[in-house]
Amino acid sequence: MFVRRFILIFLIALIGSMAKAQKQDPTIVNKVNLLLKRMTLEEKIGQLNQYTGKAMTGPATAKKNDLQTEIKNGWVGSMLNVKGAKNTREVQEMAMQSRLKIPLLFSLDVIHGYQTTFPIPLAEAASWDLDAIKLSAHLAAREAAASGIHWTFAPMVDIARDPRWGRIMEGAGEDPYLGSRIAEARVKGFQGEHLGGTDAVMATAKHFAAYGAATAGRDYTGVEMSEHELWQTYLPPFKAAANAGAATFMNSFNTLNGIPATGNSYLLRDILKKQWNYRGFVVSDWNSIGEMVIWGYAQNAKDAALKAITAGSDMDMEGSIYRKNLVALVNEGKVNVALIDDAVKRILYVKYELGLFDDPYKFCDEAREQKVLNDPNNVIAARTVAEKSIVLLKNEQQTLPLTNPKQTIALIGPLVKTKRDMAAAWNVNMDTTAIVSLYDGITGAAKTQKVLYASGGSVQHSSDQEIAEAVAVAAKADVVILTLGESYEMSGESKSRANIELPGDQVKLFNAIQQTGKPVIVVMMGGRPLIFNQIADQASAILYTWWLGTEAGNAIADVVFGKYNPAGKLPVSFPRSMGQIPIFYSQTNTGRPYTNQKAKLYLSSYIDEENTPRYAFGYGLSYTNFSYSDIQLSKNTINAADSITVTFKLTNTGKYAGEEVAQLYLRDDVASMVRPVKELKDFKKVMLQPGESKTISFVINKEKLSFYNQKLVWGAEAGTFQVMIGSASDDIRLKGSFELIDQLTSHNK
Ligand code: NOJ
């Protein structure tokens, strides 16, 4: 434990100061300009062209010419889905035979680890631990970079408030503040101190923009959204990623208010490249340029190319649309070559920055690859991050941790022995044999306890006999650990679900086990918030473990046996029923708010359901308890240049050492627009020994009071604000208020 913590602290210190400004190096700019002058139009357009290798991460696209010839002619700027030091070297050698020897960029979806699989991004978000999240991205980058990769298509920074959407697993949940902090941490983790280090890859902020708001939670649908909602909720994590230096952005598949994001000049030119002065480049999503024809926004592929390049999409992923149409469009005078030059310059810049012109094989060192992929520190860190991602939802009568050395434990459920599921979607170089299943983890850790096992069926089906066998095993045990949830292929891209309750016969299995009268600890796995009300009511304890990656079984065992005290908090609200979706804590009030009166008539409520979520944003238990007391505000009024410091005492009142995520929420009482009932504005994760107290402080400044008004001007309005400090969005422990005296506005956030 000590060794693990030490290594973690050491690795965090290593990446502690990593940051990259969106400044350009004049020497590189000069080199880019000189090279550009030597390029033919076809070579320039080649730089905007990205093809996949053999692996497919999207539907089949139009047939292309012979790949080798294309590369050797300098007509390809980047490849995706080619990995490994040896393979990337072989393909780079082809590019080195081209006239100008411009190196290729190798890109890959390194979403939650490369070979060592880390928890899914939504799970990591539940850690509220920015150092751990940064470390996970850094180690994923280090492994990928050792394996020939220059560029990851991560982080996904889409805010998601609809658990039907399968890609909710890839992001940081529902909240723009938490999402922005995590976006920064991930970008800095992937990119390191500066690009060009052999332990860093370029990051991609994706999917720009509003992809997480897919209508009805169905992947790839269009999005209709007010400008205010776009700016206030969906854009902040993108802005944070750009500020943190994200080298690239990726288009989203959706339309935004009728215009496909890939052809949306408001998003790409006006906001990203002008207003935010973004210097990186924008890659389309998989044939999203071509899909503009299917949407009915472009007449044909040529029209799609015109619309995408005009809007500001710089690179065409796997569509061949730029490659086949841009030369003609320039020659016909429909596309100004200056547009092409701008896109090419952005791409060449990063190739210089990565050092590929000095050494195109810089990332293709097989000896280094072996060393880095086999570094034991990767697995150590994966276990630590996995522990931090677990959320304890329920723990009646301290069922957990299991401390009785003589207990017999029954491990039951369809996900006890599976390894592949632990790695979830987006696993690019997974080694299934290295994955620790729950079975491996618990049996490995149970020194003196006896462990029994029954599968109880599969995720989708349990026969009567399988249930009977599971009941017989449960009957022989003192306590049951029951795994329930989804299988890995039920979440991720294109894995939307209309029904997010437990699939198959899992509730039946739970009921049968519950009837044995044994305490049942449910380990719930999945890529999204699931609905399981009856189990939430009846189980003795519930751990929500998402998909935790390579070290899943060990991390869960650490929590089960009390080696690690869980501290995760939900980054997204868990609904009670599907009719509540979208459900999120930062809703606005209504003119007829429902506040638990018996009669619901003429109040904003459901006649057949509660308004509240089953588990709220920010919720998560610990084996210990924390008390909040002694709130103090440094002043009761502030003006423009001022800030207020809120302090309070946090005490560990229980028996275990543990961490608490103290959360600061604010409410703007009256404003020119109706403001949310509360908004997260800061948080601190604090470790406390039993009986220990610490004074915690939050600084409230202009930034935390500001919002986008109706005219999309960022600023704070004079008036009173409520301060809420809590352990969850629905568990506010301390309150205060103050008044902002001035009106504070700024146009350029
Ligand atoms: C489509 C996905 O939407 C995107 O996130 C991913 O990076 C690309 N395919 C490439 O695999």
Side-chain angles (χ1 to χ4, degrees):
M1 193 67 182
F2 170 76
V3 176
R4 274 206 287 142
R5 190 146 289 150
F6 174 77
I7 290 171
L8 187 74
I9 291 167
F10 172 74
L11 288 167
I12 288 169
L14 216 64
I15 52 169
S17 62
M18 294 174 178
K20 175 184 166 290
Q22 286 275 334
K23 279 188 291 188
Q24 292 209 310
D25 174 348
T27 325
I28 298 185
V29 172
N30 196 29
K31 286 181 185 167
V32 167
N33 288 334
L34 288 174
L35 177 56
L36 192 77
K37 284 197 187 119
R38 296 169 55 210
M39 294 172 79
T40 64
L41 179 60
E42 203 157 19
E43 283 166 342
K44 288 179 182 175
I45 290 162
Q47 287 305 305
L48 316 186
N49 183 29
Q50 183 185 56
Y51 288 142
T52 188
K54 287 199 188 88
M56 300 286 283
T57 47
T61 44
K63 207 171 161 309
K64 39 187 179 277
N65 304 328
D66 173 61
L67 187 61
Q68 289 211 25
T69 316
E70 293 269 302
I71 296 175
K72 287 179 187 167
N73 285 342
W75 295 337
V76 184
S78 170
M79 293 293 296
L80 76 148
N81 295 333
V82 177
K83 64 184 166 87
K86 186 163 173 285
N87 293 341
T88 50
R89 176 182 289 272
E90 265 170 34
V91 180
Q92 194 68 293
E93 277 167 358
M94 296 174 201
M96 289 305 109
Q97 293 171 47
S98 64
R99 188 178 76 90
L100 292 171
K101 299 189 178 13
I102 301 179
L104 292 165
L105 285 175
F106 292 102
S107 57
L108 195 70
D109 290 285
V110 182
I111 309 292
H112 54 112
Y114 178 72
Q115 179 157 295
T116 309
T117 308
F118 282 79
I120 58 169
L122 187 62
E124 286 189 356
S127 73
W128 295 52
D129 190 322
L130 301 176
D131 284 338
I133 291 171
K134 195 196 273 181
L135 175 66
S136 155
H138 166 65
L139 292 178
R142 198 162 72 109
E143 285 191 1
S147 224
I149 303 302
H150 309 134
W151 174 19
T152 176
F153 295 138
M156 185 188 101
V157 303
D158 296 305
I159 294 297
R161 296 175 163 185
D162 191 330
R164 294 172 297 184
W165 190 53
R167 299 196 84 167
I168 195 169
M169 60 147 301
E170 266 182 75
E174 74 182 42
D175 185 65
Y177 179 80
L178 181 62
S180 298
R181 299 293 77 78
I182 291 177
E184 287 157 6
R186 289 197 163 125
V187 169
K188 290 178 183 172
F190 284 130
Q191 296 195 164
E193 207 159 341
H194 59 92
L195 286 177
T198 49
D199 60 353
V201 295
M202 297 196 294
T204 308
K206 73 184 190 186
H207 306 81
F208 198 59
Y211 184 40
T215 305
R218 187 156 50 86
D219 213 356
Y220 316 126
T221 56
V223 172
E224 293 294 314
M225 177 182 287
S226 75
E227 285 276 297
H228 177 261
E229 178 72 341
L230 177 70
W231 280 88
Q232 189 66 29
T233 305
Y234 287 83
L235 291 185
F238 285 100
K239 183 74 198 308
N243 287 349
T248 71
F249 266 52
M250 185 189 289
N251 296 137
S252 54
F253 282 123
N254 53 286
T255 53
L256 178 64
N257 300 329
I259 314 286
T262 303
N264 199 314
S265 60
Y266 173 59
L267 281 176
L268 301 175
R269 292 244 178 252
D270 299 350
I271 298 177
L272 183 64
K273 290 183 176 175
K274 285 202 195 105
Q275 203 165 326
W276 295 355
N277 193 23
Y278 181 67
R279 315 299 278 270
F281 73 88
V282 179
V283 63
S284 79
D285 203 341
W286 182 281
N287 192 33
S288 66
I289 301 179
E291 286 181 10
M292 292 201 290
V293 179
I294 309 172
W295 274 108
Y297 183 69
Q299 289 290 347
N300 47 38
K302 193 170 175 186
D303 189 28
L306 171 65
K307 288 190 160 125
I309 195 79
T310 308
S313 290
D314 300 308
M315 185 181 277
D316 173 8
M317 183 196 292
E318 185 50 18
S320 310
I321 306 281
Y322 280 180
R323 164 91 186 89
K324 289 181 182 160
N325 298 286
L326 279 184
V327 172
L329 283 166
V330 173
N331 289 339
E332 288 161 20
K334 291 188 180 132
V335 169
N336 188 329
V337 79
L339 277 189
I340 311 277
D341 286 353
D342 176 62
V344 175
K345 283 201 245 177
R346 289 168 184 266
I347 294 162
L348 292 179
Y349 187 92
V350 298
K351 292 188 175 183
Y352 277 108
E353 209 179 8
L354 287 166
L356 294 177
F357 282 97
D358 295 331
D359 178 6
Y361 308 110
K362 190 173 165 185
F363 297 81
C364 310
D365 177 339
E366 287 179 65
R368 188 175 68 231
E369 179 179 39
Q370 277 315 306
K371 196 164 157 247
V372 171
L373 295 188
N374 293 315
D375 183 344
N377 287 329
N378 303 350
V379 172
I380 292 171
R383 181 167 177 168
T384 303
V385 178
E387 290 170 347
K388 288 172 182 276
S389 304
I390 295 171
V391 185
L392 176 65
L393 293 180
K394 184 175 184 186
N395 195 18
E396 259 183 6
Q397 288 155 10
Q398 274 123 35
T399 309
L400 283 170
L402 300 182
T403 50
N404 178 349
K406 299 223 171 86
Q407 264 178 337
T408 298
I409 303 167
L411 277 181
I412 296 176
L415 296 158
V416 171
K417 284 201 172 177
T418 62
K419 289 177 178 248
R420 174 64 191 88
D421 287 299
M422 305 303 121
W426 285 131
N427 233 286
V428 276
N429 206 44
M430 166 188 54
D431 171 9
T432 350
T433 57
I435 292 175
V436 183
S437 68
L438 181 64
Y439 185 83
D440 298 340
I442 297 285
T443 50
K447 297 275 177 306
T448 50
Q449 297 93 332
K450 196 167 159 197
V451 181
L452 310 173
Y453 165 73
S455 81
S458 72
V459 165
Q460 294 288 7
H461 177 68
S462 299
S463 68
D464 290 345
Q465 196 195 332
E466 284 165 328
I467 292 183
E469 279 166 17
V471 167
V473 167
K476 288 188 214 144
D478 300 306
V479 61
V480 179
I481 297 178
L482 176 64
T483 65
L484 299 172
E486 303 181 307
S487 54
Y488 81 92
E489 70 280 80
M490 297 179 79
S491 62
E493 186 182 346
S494 77
K495 305 292 169 55
S496 296
R497 291 180 65 199
N499 180 352
I500 58 166
E501 294 184 4
L502 291 180
D505 305 310
Q506 296 188 53
V507 176
K508 196 168 152 198
L509 175 65
F510 171 81
N511 284 336
I513 302 295
Q514 180 73 7
Q515 271 162 25
T516 62
K518 306 291 164 128
V520 180
I521 298 161
V522 171
V523 173
M524 193 69 79
M525 300 180 178
R528 54 160 63 77
L530 292 165
I531 295 176
F532 47 91
N533 290 312
Q534 189 209 326
I535 293 165
D537 290 338
Q538 295 175 356
S540 300
I542 304 174
L543 290 170
Y544 211 84
T545 66
W546 322 92
W547 299 123
L548 292 175
T550 305
E551 285 290 292
N554 285 335
I556 299 170
D558 289 343
V559 168
V560 164
F561 294 115
K563 213 166 144 191
Y564 178 83
N565 183 357
K569 302 268 187 181
L570 298 177
V572 60
S573 307
F574 275 44
R576 293 171 188 277
S577 82
M578 275 156 321
Q580 294 178 309
I581 297 171
I583 184 166
F584 50 96
Y585 81 93
S586 57
Q587 295 191 357
T588 56
N589 214 351
T590 101
R592 295 183 174 190
Y594 170 67
T595 44
N596 294 326
Q597 293 97 318
K598 275 208 179 109
K600 291 183 168 184
L601 201 59
Y602 303 123
L603 295 176
S604 176
S605 63
Y606 301 101
I607 58 170
D608 58 352
E609 187 53 278
E610 298 296 317
N611 283 5
T612 55
R614 180 78 219 201
Y615 298 110
F617 174 84
Y619 171 78
L621 301 173
S622 161
Y623 292 156
T624 191
N625 294 308
F626 299 97
S627 78
Y628 289 67
S629 62
D630 303 340
I631 185 168
Q632 279 181 356
L633 273 64
S634 58
K635 40 181 110 87
N636 296 323
T637 55
I638 60 167
N639 57 35
D642 252 356
S643 63
I644 288 186
T645 304
V646 186
T647 53
F648 60 98
K649 199 161 98 180
L650 185 65
T651 306
N652 180 344
T653 56
K655 286 191 305 208
Y656 291 87
E659 287 173 295
E660 167 73 330
V661 180
Q663 300 157 39
L664 167 74
Y665 295 90
L666 292 181
R667 178 173 184 174
D668 185 347
D669 286 328
V670 180
S672 60
M673 293 184 76
V674 174
R675 305 286 299 119
V677 289
K678 56 175 84 87
E679 288 176 294
L680 182 74
K681 290 293 174 183
D682 209 344
F683 60 89
K684 279 201 174 124
K685 192 166 185 178
V686 186
M687 173 56 122
L688 289 169
Q689 297 303 315
E692 191 187 4
S693 295
K694 277 187 187 157
T695 299
I696 313 296
S697 61
F698 290 120
V699 176
I700 301 173
N701 53 20
K702 172 181 169 180
E703 184 71 14
K704 296 204 183 306
L705 305 179
S706 296
F707 67 99
Y708 288 100
N709 71 13
Q710 220 184 350
K711 294 192 173 121
L712 302 179
V713 175
W714 176 252
E717 295 178 0
T720 55
F721 288 79
Q722 303 302 318
V723 178
M724 292 161 269
I725 308 277
S727 175
S729 62
D730 68 344
D731 185 8
I732 300 301
R733 307 284 183 89
L734 300 169
K735 287 184 178 171
S737 65
F738 63 89
E739 187 173 356
L740 171 67
I741 297 171
D742 308 339
Q743 196 85 358
L744 317 168
T745 52
S746 79
H747 287 260
N748 214 355
K749 181 176 151 42

